[in-house]
């Protein structure tokens, strides 16, 4: 049975496991009504009636799908996570939560299977921050505007800014706080008008005479403030034709003066009546160029970390070598075709690929991972493990505080996480340099060739066991040929989720962090922490393992294939 009926009402078995804890605050009436409207938006009704269409209800699907055990575990995980009040409120409604689960399972882009708990968890956090949150905030905003009899004109640029402000800043849901928050947003809009819109447009123009990197959030706000003081009113056609460019350039120049000393007092002293104007704001090095942050360097470091996890910790390079040896000795019988060609290519290119020692040198220099021997003029990045540990510790502390209702309003500061992220930005930008980009690109291509061999149909059929899985192949070959026990699941999680953390670091900009992006980062970091604990080895123990491996390898050898004589 998919549903139970009591006195004409429908009760879904799935609702027993769709119990997300609501935030522990007293809801504002506007929030209650907006939540009810959002719930109605997601409820399927029989066309033309207010009767629920049971057959198309996602709760019916979940009840009959055999997924209740997985959903119960997912619910426990979400209840224990650091959700903000709005996301927790939305997920506390079973129809919304059930719809998001079904969407995750049906969406080809998400590609989430019913037994992929981490995939479901990430999809729920990502998608609840999208349409449900946008709809809920729009409803709250509309309710307040209607009560105040404020009518919106689609042609007014200010209302586009109102949407952006609402989505970026969010709205409180605690009783008595919604209307004042909307009033504050409206006050900002009435004061600034459509000027912020045109400042943003001016900064994004291809023919803008000012570098895009110079348009930090504080500079744009200072430009807006200056243009508001001028009392300028902007006509769209004149703006498009460049008729206000001189005002925007003047505003930019004045904005710079508030952040730097525009005129040296010595220079002003040479001019009769000369004055200096400075509000004593110091340079905060906000632009990417001034920070010295290189997103490419950080992403490359993330790829290197992925290589270290999959290639070395999981021994994928060694497993591929072992399979080539089996094939060469006749133990692996592969007919002529794609797999045989891949094995032969891997064998022939062995002398051109980076050696294990060269890879170990790169891991040590950039990430201080393993015990690779460095050249005399190389220095290991000893700060990276400490800074990474600091970021993971701040994530764990944030989640602990959020779960424990650390503050009365449920708000927990993100500042420690942001600062730890910035520290890693600087560190990786500085250390992922030189030839390392080409090295990691070549090594990743090497890894992909190794994985192509391992996951080929011929190999999986021979060594994939009952599961017919690439991971079973790795575990079996590592055990039989290398004498090593490999637990692939936590290593795979550490590699994939760790790479997501590197992506967070690479794209981080404190002034434009969206809740959905932050929640996805928290999810990835938490998964990495759990996977690391599951492996029961810290970086030092892995370093010892790598050291032992180096002792088994003749350091004069430069051939992966010859490592396994």
């Amino acid at each position: 049975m998919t549903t139970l009926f009591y006195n004409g009402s429908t009760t879904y078995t799935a609702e027993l496991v769709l119990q997300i804890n609501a935030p522990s605050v007293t809801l504002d009436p506007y929030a209650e009504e907006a939540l009810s409207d959002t719930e109605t938006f997601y409820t399927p009704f029989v066309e033309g009636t207010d009767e629920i269409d049971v057959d198309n209800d996602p709760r019916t699907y979940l009840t009959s799908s055999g997924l209740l055990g997985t959903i119960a575990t997912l619910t426990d995980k979400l209840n224990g996570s650091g959700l903000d009040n709005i996301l927790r409120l939305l997920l506390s409604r079973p129809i919304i939560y059930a719809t998001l689960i079904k969407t995750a399972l049906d969406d080809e882009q998400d590609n989430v299977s019913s037994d992929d708990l981490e995939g479901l968890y990430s999809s729920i956090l990502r998608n609840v921050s999208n349409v449900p949150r946008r709809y809920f905030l729009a409803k709250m905003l509309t309710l307040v505007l209607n009560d105040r009899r404020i009518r919106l004109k689609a042609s007014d640029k200010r209302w586009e800014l109102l949407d952006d402000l609402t989505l970026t800043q969010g709205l409180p849901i605690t009783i008595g706080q919604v209307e004042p928050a909307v009033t504050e947003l409206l006050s900002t809009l009435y004061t600034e008008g459509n000027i912020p819109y045109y400042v943003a447009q001016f900064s994004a123009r291809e023919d803008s005479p000012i570098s895009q990197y110079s348009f930090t959030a504080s500079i744009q706000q200072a430009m807006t403030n200056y243009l508001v003081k001028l009392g300028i009113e902007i006509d769209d056609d004149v703006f498009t034709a460049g008729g206000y460019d001189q005002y925007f350039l003047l505003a930019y120049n004045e904005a710079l003066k508030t952040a730097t000393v525009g005129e040296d007092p010595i220079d002003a002293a040479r001019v009769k009546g000369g004055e200096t104007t400075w509000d004593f704001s110091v340079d905060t090095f906000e632009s990417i160029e001034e920070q010295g942050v290189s997103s490419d360097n950080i992403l490359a470091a993330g790829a290197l970390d992925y290589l270290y996890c999959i290639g070395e910790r999981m021994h994928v390079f060694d497993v591929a070598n072992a399979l080539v040896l089996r094939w060469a000795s006749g133990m692996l019988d592969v007919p002529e075709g794609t797999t045989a060609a891949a094995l032969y290519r891997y064998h022939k290119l062995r002398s051109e690929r980076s050696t294990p020692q060269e890879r170990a040198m790169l891991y040590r220099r950039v990430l201080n991972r393993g015990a690779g021997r460095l050249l005399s003029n190389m220095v290991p990045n000893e700060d990276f493990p400490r800074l990474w540990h600091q970021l993971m510790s701040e994530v764990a502390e944030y989640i602990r505080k959020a779960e424990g209702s650390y503050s009365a309003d449920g708000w927990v500061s993100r500042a420690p996480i942001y600062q730890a992220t910035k520290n890693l930005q600087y560190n990786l930008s500085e250390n992922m340099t030189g030839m390392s980009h080409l090295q990691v690109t070549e090594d990743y291509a090497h890894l992909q060739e190794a994985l192509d061999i391992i996951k080929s149909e011929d190999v999986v059929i021979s060594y994939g066991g009952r599961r017919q899985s690439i991971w079973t192949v790795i575990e079996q070959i590592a055990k039989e040929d290398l004498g090593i026990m490999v637990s692939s699941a936590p290593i795979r999680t550490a590699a994939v989720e760790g790479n997501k953390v590197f992506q967070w670091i690479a794209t981080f900009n404190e002034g434009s962090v969206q809740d959905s992006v932050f929640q996805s980062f928290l999810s990835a970091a938490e998964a990495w922490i759990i996977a690391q604990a599951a492996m029961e080895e810290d970086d030092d123990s892995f370093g010892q393992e790598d050291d032992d491996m180096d002792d088994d390898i003749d350091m004069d050898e430069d051939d992966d294939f010859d490592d396994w004589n």
Side-chain angles (χ1 to χ4, degrees):
M1 292 180 63
T2 60
T3 55
L4 305 173
F5 295 91
Y6 295 105
N7 298 324
S9 64
T10 305
T11 301
Y12 298 86
T13 306
E15 291 201 3
L16 298 174
V17 295
L18 293 169
Q19 298 298 316
I20 299 295
N21 301 328
S24 55
V25 298
T26 302
L27 288 183
D28 189 279
Y30 287 116
E32 288 182 344
E33 188 171 350
L35 179 62
S36 177
D37 289 344
T38 307
E39 193 173 13
T40 300
F41 174 78
Y42 279 97
T43 302
F45 292 100
V46 176
E47 188 174 357
T49 73
D50 58 359
E51 179 183 346
I52 295 177
D53 185 352
V54 175
D55 291 336
N56 290 318
D57 194 300
R59 292 168 292 186
T60 302
Y61 165 76
L62 296 181
T63 299
S64 60
S65 64
L67 299 175
L68 298 189
T70 300
I71 296 172
T73 305
L74 177 64
T75 298
D76 290 340
K77 185 174 177 65
L78 286 166
N79 275 328
S81 63
L83 294 170
D84 68 30
N85 281 345
I86 289 181
L87 301 188
R88 185 171 291 280
L89 180 65
L90 292 168
L91 289 175
S92 69
R93 291 302 185 262
I95 182 61
I96 300 175
Y97 183 20
T99 300
L100 293 173
I101 294 175
K102 189 172 186 302
T103 299
L105 295 173
D106 292 344
D107 192 345
E108 293 182 0
Q109 203 168 30
D110 272 355
N111 195 27
V112 176
S113 62
S114 59
D115 60 349
D116 184 1
L117 182 63
E118 291 299 329
L120 280 171
Y121 178 75
S122 298
S123 178
I124 296 300
L125 290 182
R126 181 171 61 255
N127 290 327
V128 71
S129 300
N130 191 12
V131 176
R133 179 177 179 271
R134 294 172 69 93
Y135 188 90
F136 174 76
L137 289 173
K139 278 294 180 182
M140 270 207 298
L141 183 62
T142 301
L143 289 169
V144 174
L145 295 178
N146 286 344
D147 280 354
R148 299 183 65 171
R149 292 179 171 78
I150 297 174
R151 296 292 177 263
L152 311 185
K153 293 181 180 179
S155 59
D156 194 330
K157 300 293 190 299
R158 290 180 299 177
W159 305 125
E160 294 181 28
L161 295 172
L162 180 57
D163 287 342
D164 292 340
L165 279 172
T166 306
L167 288 172
T168 301
Q169 299 182 13
L171 290 172
I173 59 175
T174 305
I175 187 168
Q177 293 185 7
V178 175
E179 189 169 5
V182 174
T183 300
E184 185 175 346
L185 291 176
L186 291 173
S187 176
T188 300
L189 287 175
Y190 283 130
T191 301
E192 298 179 349
N194 57 10
I195 288 178
Y197 169 83
Y198 286 108
V199 168
Q201 291 296 308
F202 182 76
S203 69
R205 258 177 26 189
E206 292 183 2
D207 61 343
S208 177
I210 305 170
S211 168
Q212 179 68 31
Y213 291 115
S214 300
F215 278 100
T216 62
S218 61
I219 289 292
Q220 292 194 42
Q221 185 59 52
M223 288 177 64
T224 297
N225 295 341
Y226 180 79
L227 292 169
V228 168
K229 288 181 182 178
L230 285 182
I232 187 172
E233 293 191 12
I234 299 176
D235 177 86
D236 197 61
D237 292 335
V238 177
F239 172 83
T240 303
Y244 301 102
D245 284 5
Q246 69 272 26
Y247 295 105
F248 282 91
L249 290 171
L250 180 61
Y252 175 72
N253 186 55
E254 292 299 318
L256 287 178
K257 285 184 179 180
T258 64
T260 60
V261 179
E263 296 179 6
D264 192 322
I266 292 178
D267 294 331
R270 294 194 175 99
V271 180
K272 184 177 181 179
E275 298 179 358
T276 59
T277 57
W278 179 39
D279 65 357
F280 303 99
S281 298
V282 298
D283 193 344
T284 56
F285 306 104
E286 290 185 67
S287 75
I288 294 175
E289 286 183 336
E290 291 168 334
Q291 290 174 355
V293 171
S294 169
S295 295
D296 285 345
N297 284 7
I298 299 168
L299 292 172
L304 183 64
D305 178 78
Y306 180 93
L307 274 166
Y308 179 74
C309 290
I310 301 296
E312 315 300 342
R313 281 186 169 180
M314 201 183 288
H315 296 277
V316 164
F317 290 122
D318 300 332
V319 168
N321 288 339
L323 287 169
V324 173
L325 278 174
R326 286 193 175 205
W327 179 64
S329 62
M331 296 173 61
L332 174 59
D333 186 15
V334 175
E336 293 297 322
T338 304
T339 304
L343 287 163
Y344 189 69
R345 172 183 168 82
Y346 198 86
H347 167 65
K348 295 300 289 183
L349 290 179
R350 68 192 187 279
S351 61
E352 299 180 25
R353 294 296 192 187
S354 297
T355 66
Q357 294 77 37
E358 289 171 337
R359 295 197 304 268
M361 187 185 299
L362 186 61
Y363 302 138
R364 181 84 187 284
R365 183 177 74 78
V366 177
L367 303 174
N368 201 26
R369 297 278 175 86
R373 302 179 188 180
L374 298 179
L375 300 178
S376 59
N377 61 344
M378 289 184 179
V379 179
N381 182 8
E382 295 180 348
D383 287 336
F384 173 75
R386 175 180 57 81
L387 295 175
W388 182 271
H389 177 75
Q390 180 188 17
L391 177 60
M392 294 300 107
S393 297
E394 295 297 349
V395 168
E397 182 68 5
Y398 179 91
I399 293 173
R400 182 187 69 81
K401 290 180 178 180
E403 290 174 352
S405 298
Y406 186 77
S407 59
D409 59 1
W411 181 84
V412 180
S413 174
R414 300 178 181 180
I417 289 178
Y418 287 178
Q419 187 57 53
T421 301
K422 291 177 183 177
N423 292 341
L424 278 167
Q425 281 186 320
Y426 306 142
N427 176 270
L428 294 171
S429 295
E430 180 69 23
N431 286 279
M432 190 68 191
T433 53
M435 194 171 66
S436 56
H437 281 237
L438 289 176
Q439 287 176 291
V440 75
T441 302
E442 179 188 327
D443 290 344
Y444 186 76
H446 187 190
L447 179 68
Q448 290 303 302
E449 287 193 343
L451 288 171
D452 286 342
I453 290 172
I454 296 170
K455 68 185 179 183
S456 65
E457 184 177 0
D458 296 299
V459 172
V460 171
I461 289 174
S462 299
Y463 306 110
R466 288 185 301 172
R467 288 185 293 163
Q468 293 292 287
S469 163
I470 178 179
W471 314 115
T472 305
V473 174
I474 293 171
E475 292 170 2
Q476 181 178 334
I477 298 298
K479 180 180 179 181
E480 294 179 358
D481 288 30
L482 311 179
I484 299 170
M485 297 297 295
V486 172
S487 180
S488 63
I491 299 175
R492 183 172 73 249
T493 299
V496 173
E497 301 302 327
N499 191 258
K500 293 177 183 177
V501 175
F502 276 95
Q503 292 177 36
W504 154 267
I505 297 169
T507 58
F508 174 77
N509 184 337
E510 186 172 354
S512 59
V513 176
Q514 297 180 359
D515 281 342
S516 59
V517 174
F518 182 72
Q519 292 299 331
S520 295
F521 156 69
L522 284 183
S523 175
E526 184 181 18
W528 185 92
I529 292 169
I530 295 171
Q532 190 70 16
M535 287 187 284
E536 296 181 351
E537 291 177 320
D538 57 21
D539 285 334
D540 290 336
S541 62
F542 276 114
Q544 181 62 47
E545 176 186 317
D546 292 334
D547 198 20
D548 293 340
M549 289 172 60
D550 285 343
D551 290 340
D552 294 336
I553 298 173
D554 184 351
M555 295 302 291
D556 292 332
E557 295 287 354
D558 61 355
D559 192 333
D560 275 357
F561 192 71
D562 292 336
D563 293 340
W564 307 105
N565 291 326

